[in-house]
Amino acid sequence: MSGIKVFLVEDEMIIRNGVKKGIKWEEEGYDFVGEASDGELAYPLILKEKPDILITDIRMPFMDGLELSRLVKEELPDIKILILSGYDEFQYAKEAIRIGVTDYLLKPISSANLLEVLNQVKESIWHDREEKELLIRYSKDMQENTENEKAKFFDRLILNEMSMAEAVEEGKKYGMNLSAPCYAICLFKILMSADDKTVLEQIVRASEKIEEEANRTDALYLFRRGISGWTFLLLAEDEEQMKERIRSFSNRLHCVMDSWKDMEYFGGIGMCVDRLRNLKDSFREADKVFAARFTEKPKQILSMEDLGSQDEEEVPVKGFVQVGQSRAILEKFLNRGTREEVGTFCEAYMAQLEKDHMRSAMVRQYVVMDIGIVIMSFCEKLSAGEEVEKEVQDLQASAARADAFGEMRGVIEQLLLKAIEIRDRASGRRYSDLIATAKEEIEKKYMSEEISLNTVAVRVGMSPSYFSSIFSKEVGQTFVEYLTEVRMNKAKELLMCSAMKTSEVGYEVGYRDPHYFSYIFKKTQGCSPKEYRARRKSQ
């Protein structure tokens, strides 16, 4: 560990030299980084050196110790300040306490007494640093929880459940400055899904690279959306700057994804809006464009303008010429889609069938027959064709009615939900099975530091973001909360049923750092491991 940095301010040279030379600073674990004769001279030097401890006289010309302490505390809130004074006056002490001075020492003070106080302060500094490091590590480990909270915050933003002031204030909790003249939304997702472990590991790495790119981009904030990928909130000074930022960030996303040539992705960009309360409009437009991922070519990041839509109420799709072309789109969704995406897919799919053509009973019958054949064929391959037979008949009946378009969409949606349920059941991808597999993996590997959301997601065949959202929904806890609970329960068993040291218990349940294990235990159980063991044994 590096030495604790000390800065001295004292207008009397004899006293200043006495303090400076009376302690063997380096031997005692300190770095004496500077001195000054008054507050005015000291202030810029203190800001430059950023000492851990400031020792200052209280009565000095130009700027006294209290005023200096007040200014320094504003810029360096963690600094420890020791006031030296020959004036034993309560008013000074009271003001020093109000400012946040660590100690108030009366002159004359011997080097030995000063060193004793300094050592106490040093211990406090080391303790604070350790606590801060542990908190940073804990926050990193609990990043999944933070991302979930951020996602909820974003949902409230686009639902207009917060005032501008509330949104700006809450945004600060996540390191966001949401004050800007212009806002826009970009939705983005990696489309490839596969059971192949190598491919899933590539998706994990690609996801990490995307988030790294977003986190180092100015005026841009990232929100995870589970199965839907990511939302990027962009801020700008005006529309021209926004266009440039969208273009630049889109290019960087393309560059990131180019590292994985076979991986498909898609992005949708919303309009630029001038108020945070209008963010819902940008999101709504981005979502409409994003729905075109089911019908457009992949590896694109598009805006409504790119899609060439004249009617913003419809989900636009380029290149649809004949109804029969929809078969490939439907087959692709049956193989890759999820039940959470069914509603959005139906919206895009039905839009590309073109309502004008669907007014003809003959065209409707043809479309229905095609849809029925695709879904029946898909389910028959899974030995479950009879399970969707009734829904296919209902769809055919709805097609005979002139006002059947809305009804048809509802029936198609139910058909797709059932087909995907059959597919997931046949492939062992039912959520109950996935969660059971994840829990088994945690039980087997909770003692390893290597276990993580990413490794378990790959094990169950999902992207980390999707797995996180499914696990939270099905279990009622985030993955990291569940893993921590398993580890803490195992730790409590060992504390009660073994003679292991607390450090050995921590190691046994997956924490190689005994300080961090104690920190986590106290944070989750309300007492230290030693206190827990003592309490339980005394009962």
Side-chain angles (χ1 to χ4, degrees):
M1 292 184 178
S2 61
I4 298 293
K5 296 197 289 185
V6 177
F7 195 99
L8 173 63
V9 188
E10 169 61 63
D11 64 329
E12 295 183 44
M13 185 176 293
I14 294 174
I15 297 176
R16 190 164 76 246
N17 286 336
V19 172
K20 180 181 176 182
K21 296 177 180 178
I23 296 175
K24 295 180 180 179
W25 297 99
E26 193 170 337
E27 288 182 19
E28 298 292 344
Y30 299 94
D31 293 331
F32 191 88
V33 296
E35 58 182 300
S37 58
D38 66 69
E40 279 190 8
L41 293 174
Y43 184 64
L45 297 175
I46 292 168
L47 296 187
K48 178 183 176 183
E49 295 293 341
K50 294 181 173 55
D52 302 294
I53 300 175
L54 168 62
I55 305 171
T56 179
D57 187 14
I58 200 166
R59 283 287 186 95
M60 297 181 294
F62 307 110
M63 182 191 290
D64 68 26
L66 289 179
E67 187 176 354
L68 174 64
S69 298
R70 190 181 301 109
L71 291 173
V72 168
K73 267 291 184 181
E74 288 177 1
E75 297 297 323
L76 306 172
D78 293 333
I79 195 170
K80 307 295 184 183
I81 301 176
L82 303 180
I83 292 283
L84 298 177
S85 176
Y87 298 87
D88 187 8
E89 296 181 13
F90 177 70
Q91 192 61 38
Y92 284 120
K94 191 168 69 172
E95 177 65 9
I97 291 169
R98 190 188 68 78
I99 291 168
V101 167
T102 303
D103 213 336
Y104 187 87
L105 309 173
L106 291 177
K107 296 179 186 176
I109 184 169
S110 68
S111 296
N113 288 341
L114 177 58
L115 182 58
E116 183 180 351
V117 173
L118 284 169
N119 285 341
Q120 291 173 0
V121 175
K122 179 169 67 173
E123 287 301 314
S124 171
I125 291 171
W126 286 132
H127 179 267
D128 290 349
R129 284 184 182 178
E130 185 177 63
E131 285 289 309
K132 187 174 289 187
E133 287 170 4
L134 291 171
L135 179 59
I136 290 170
R137 183 173 173 183
Y138 178 77
S139 298
K140 185 178 179 182
D141 284 350
M142 297 293 164
Q143 183 66 24
E144 180 191 4
N145 295 0
T146 303
E147 292 298 335
N148 286 350
E149 290 303 313
K150 278 173 60 180
K152 292 175 185 175
F153 168 55
F154 181 77
D155 289 342
R156 292 175 64 201
L157 271 181
I158 60 173
L159 289 173
N160 269 349
E161 292 182 354
M162 312 173 75
S163 67
M164 173 72 175
E166 289 172 332
V168 169
E169 193 59 33
E170 186 162 344
K172 289 178 183 176
K173 293 196 301 188
Y174 306 108
M176 301 178 185
N177 179 4
L178 295 181
S179 299
C182 291
Y183 307 88
I185 293 292
C186 173
L187 304 178
F188 185 84
K189 181 184 178 181
I190 297 173
L191 301 178
M192 178 176 287
S193 65
D195 294 325
D196 183 87
K197 186 176 179 181
T198 302
V199 174
L200 287 164
E201 288 172 348
Q202 290 176 352
I203 291 173
V204 170
R205 290 200 296 275
S207 299
E208 290 170 349
K209 290 293 184 184
I210 287 167
E211 295 196 1
E212 285 174 13
E213 193 65 46
N215 288 331
R216 64 169 167 252
T217 301
D218 292 335
L220 182 146
Y221 301 114
L222 172 155
F223 302 86
R224 293 178 185 167
R225 300 183 67 226
I227 183 61
S228 299
W230 297 273
T231 296
F232 300 114
L233 170 58
L234 295 96
L235 286 68
E237 293 300 316
D238 52 46
E239 285 196 39
E240 284 304 310
Q241 187 184 65
M242 180 63 78
K243 288 179 183 177
E244 174 57 29
R245 285 186 170 167
I246 289 172
R247 184 198 62 77
S248 174
F249 185 60
S250 296
N251 288 341
R252 286 154 71 182
L253 287 176
H254 284 303
C255 288
V256 168
M257 296 307 299
D258 281 347
S259 301
W260 293 274
K261 298 294 184 184
D262 296 328
M263 202 173 291
E264 297 181 354
Y265 60 91
F266 196 86
I269 299 164
M271 67 177 74
C272 180
V273 295
D274 60 358
R275 295 176 186 272
L276 205 55
R277 72 180 65 177
N278 295 334
L279 200 60
K280 65 181 186 301
D281 298 326
S282 183
F283 178 81
R284 188 179 295 119
E285 182 171 280
D287 200 33
K288 287 179 180 179
V289 179
F290 190 54
R293 68 190 182 277
F294 299 115
T295 52
E296 287 289 325
K297 291 180 180 179
K299 299 188 178 183
Q300 297 189 87
I301 302 172
L302 305 176
S303 66
M304 189 71 76
E305 185 179 357
D306 294 326
L307 289 170
S309 171
Q310 299 302 313
D311 182 357
E312 294 188 357
E313 292 305 311
E314 299 298 330
V315 179
V317 180
K318 294 183 294 184
F320 178 76
V321 179
Q322 296 177 349
V323 173
Q325 292 178 343
S326 67
R327 173 179 286 229
I329 294 170
L330 184 57
E331 288 175 340
K332 184 177 179 181
F333 183 76
L334 285 169
N335 282 291
R336 290 189 178 185
T338 66
R339 65 190 190 191
E340 288 84 6
E341 293 179 307
V342 167
T344 307
F345 171 78
C346 281
E347 184 179 353
Y349 183 73
M350 297 300 286
Q352 66 94 35
L353 292 177
E354 295 184 339
K355 288 185 180 180
D356 286 344
H357 292 173
M358 295 297 285
R359 289 175 189 157
S360 162
M362 183 178 70
V363 172
R364 283 200 304 275
Q365 289 289 348
Y366 175 77
V367 169
V368 163
M369 185 182 299
D370 199 49
I371 293 171
I373 289 171
V374 170
I375 295 178
M376 282 292 293
S377 174
F378 180 80
C379 292
E380 282 170 358
K381 288 177 185 177
L382 301 172
S383 302
E386 69 282 354
E387 292 190 45
V388 294
E389 192 171 345
K390 182 179 182 305
E391 280 82 356
V392 170
Q393 290 172 355
D394 290 344
L395 181 60
Q396 290 171 339
S398 69
R401 294 185 283 276
D403 59 347
F405 196 81
E407 183 182 340
M408 283 174 58
R409 174 179 167 174
V411 177
I412 291 171
E413 195 166 323
Q414 290 304 310
L415 258 173
L416 287 172
L417 282 169
K418 180 161 279 191
I420 287 173
E421 181 185 337
I422 291 167
R423 179 202 69 190
D424 289 347
R425 186 172 68 234
S427 63
R429 292 180 61 86
R430 287 177 300 175
Y431 292 151
S432 58
D433 294 338
L434 290 170
I435 297 304
T437 301
K439 287 181 175 180
E440 286 173 13
E441 189 77 358
I442 291 169
E443 283 292 331
K444 284 193 299 184
K445 297 183 178 178
Y446 69 86
M447 69 293 295
S448 169
E449 270 197 324
E450 302 305 315
I451 190 169
S452 68
L453 174 70
N454 287 355
T455 60
V456 177
V458 170
R459 171 71 180 82
V460 300
M462 282 185 173
S463 71
S465 182
Y466 185 24
F467 172 64
S468 174
S469 63
I470 293 300
F471 192 94
S472 298
K473 184 177 178 182
E474 297 292 317
V475 178
Q477 290 176 290
T478 63
F479 171 85
V480 71
E481 286 171 341
Y482 184 84
L483 173 61
T484 302
E485 185 179 276
V486 168
R487 284 173 163 171
M488 291 301 103
N489 288 337
K490 300 293 183 182
K492 287 188 288 187
E493 287 178 21
L494 291 172
L495 287 168
M496 291 308 302
C497 304
S498 78
M500 285 181 173
K501 296 177 181 178
T502 56
S503 58
E504 293 171 336
V505 170
Y507 193 90
E508 191 67 23
V509 299
Y511 298 101
R512 301 298 177 257
D513 181 347
H515 296 293
Y516 188 56
F517 166 62
S518 294
Y519 180 87
I520 292 283
F521 194 97
K522 189 168 185 178
K523 200 161 188 71
T524 57
Q525 308 304 313
C527 62
S528 70
K530 288 181 180 179
E531 289 170 340
Y532 178 83
R533 175 176 268 167
R535 286 180 192 175
R536 298 292 292 180
K537 287 190 175 181
S538 66
Q539 291 177 355

